[in-house]
Amino acid sequence: LHKSPDHRNLVLPKPLLAALRGELTPRVPIWLMRQAGRYLPEYREIRARTPRFFERCYTPELVVEITLQPVRRFGMDGAILFSDILVVVDALGGEVEILEGRGPVVEPLADARALERLSAERLRPHLEPVYEAVRLLARALPERITLIGFAGAPWTLAAYMVEGETSRDFHRARRLARAEPDLFARLIGLLIDATSDHLMAQIEAGAEAVQIFDSWAGLLPETEFERWCVRPVLAVAERVKARHPAVPVIVFPRGVGAGYRRFRDEPAVDGLSLDATVPLLWAREELAGVCLQGNLDPIALLAGGAVVERETDRILDALAGRPFVFNLGHGVLPETDPAEVQALVERVQRLRPPIDPARHRPAGEAPDDRP
Ligand code: CP3
């Protein structure tokens, strides 16, 4: 696989795992959400040969190849399993497809009868090819690179299941949650079982860290946020930690603003992934005690060059002196030039002289006179 320049191995065997465990790493580890996918010509080639999305997800050799593609090219510190949050919905028996140019299409779940047809029993047998891929990857990856498993959070999965397709505001899903909270709570309960089981199966197959994607958490107002995002996500994280206490859990509650604070003091949450709107100096103060991850705007990669350099340095400076994982604020966009990703990874991975936080302040921050 990737022949890494020596400096990448100088430090710890796995800088990403070290940071997620709260260690200050001599250089900042990096991986990118959606680092595998359509912006890579080698992915598009596989897609042309195997056009059904779920067929790609359920063929272990393809999953291994697609997962390794970005790591081979760019040498990130993490390899995220190529899969999708919706494989869990498929495994439960929800009719789901991912169509080119349209995204996910799901048979909308509207009543208790539809809910009763779903079953968590099929989960492990149905997703066995995914776990087989994880086992193969655990063997294939170089020692420096951390294998990341993932699942969708219950709210985000429920949002697709009720809405039936992607949406700007998920009206139908939010209406069902308000109008029939007991039914919605049963759906969320089933998804807590399914996603925690899916994460544990990935860990048992060799995943070394896991991320819970709550991509639509930002749509929920305060009380709904607590009920449908915070509590279910913590339930999943706690179940995983009870069985696998050493495996870091990263939570990505996209778009929740000050709601990020709800995850900062939770023993089951090791990493908190910030979307691009979160002010970093606020996060530095308010979200101490957890490893932060993020938060370059994926659009900056489309502008490229100096825009990426300036933003990258600003992010690295803002989180200097803290355990930190460099990532985007959301996934890599299909229009992204792979050369920009290459330059980004190189910039983050080059060894910078350790910054003394007492002497170094990000631009614009007032001097700190406290003892
Ligand atoms: O990050 C990675 O490289 C691993 C693979 C991965 C995919 N989906 C592959 C994929 C991951 C981690 C996901 C997560 C995912 N899937 C999320 C959470 C993260 C986020 O983006 O908010 C969500 C909401 C989904 C659901 C989903 N899957 C959508 C909305 C779409 C269509 C939008 C799009 O980008 O096309 C997908 C399809 C999908 N999942 C693709 C890939 C590579 C593109 C389809 C294709 O390759 O043909």
Side-chain angles (χ1 to χ4, degrees), residues 91-203:
L92 290 173
E95 300 278 321
V96 49
E97 269 188 283
I98 291 181
L99 304 177
E100 215 174 312
R102 233 189 115 188
V105 180
V106 189
E107 180 61 33
L109 185 149
D111 54 29
R113 281 211 354 265
L115 181 58
E116 270 143 31
R117 281 198 291 270
L118 304 177
S119 152
E121 248 155 62
R122 280 184 290 245
L123 195 91
R124 288 222 185 196
H126 187 90
L127 296 179
E128 179 47 35
V130 176
Y131 310 136
E132 175 60 14
V134 176
R135 283 190 285 272
L136 295 171
L137 279 164
R139 266 181 269 147
L141 279 168
E143 182 54 30
R144 173 179 62 87
I145 295 167
T146 300
L147 180 56
I148 306 163
F150 72 92
W155 158 250
T156 288
L157 291 178
Y160 282 107
M161 292 171 86
V162 174
E163 201 71 22
E165 61 191 344
T166 198
S167 158
R168 214 177 322 157
D169 44 33
F170 287 86
H171 267 179
R172 271 201 275 189
R174 285 155 64 205
R175 196 191 59 79
L176 188 73
R178 291 265 194 201
E180 299 195 54
D182 294 339
L183 173 66
F184 204 78
R186 279 166 57 208
L187 173 59
I188 292 288
L190 174 70
L191 291 169
I192 291 172
D193 293 345
T195 55
S196 35
D197 199 39
H198 183 46
L199 289 174
M200 292 189 283
Q202 291 173 69
I203 292 168

Side-chain angles (χ1 to χ4, degrees), residues 34-36 38 43 47 56 81 83-84 160 213 215 330:
R34 292 286 185 96
Q35 66 189 27
R38 283 165 299 178
Y43 175 80
R47 193 171 69 150
R56 295 198 288 286
L81 176 72
S83 189
D84 197 85
Y160 282 107
F213 286 87
S215 304
H330 201 191

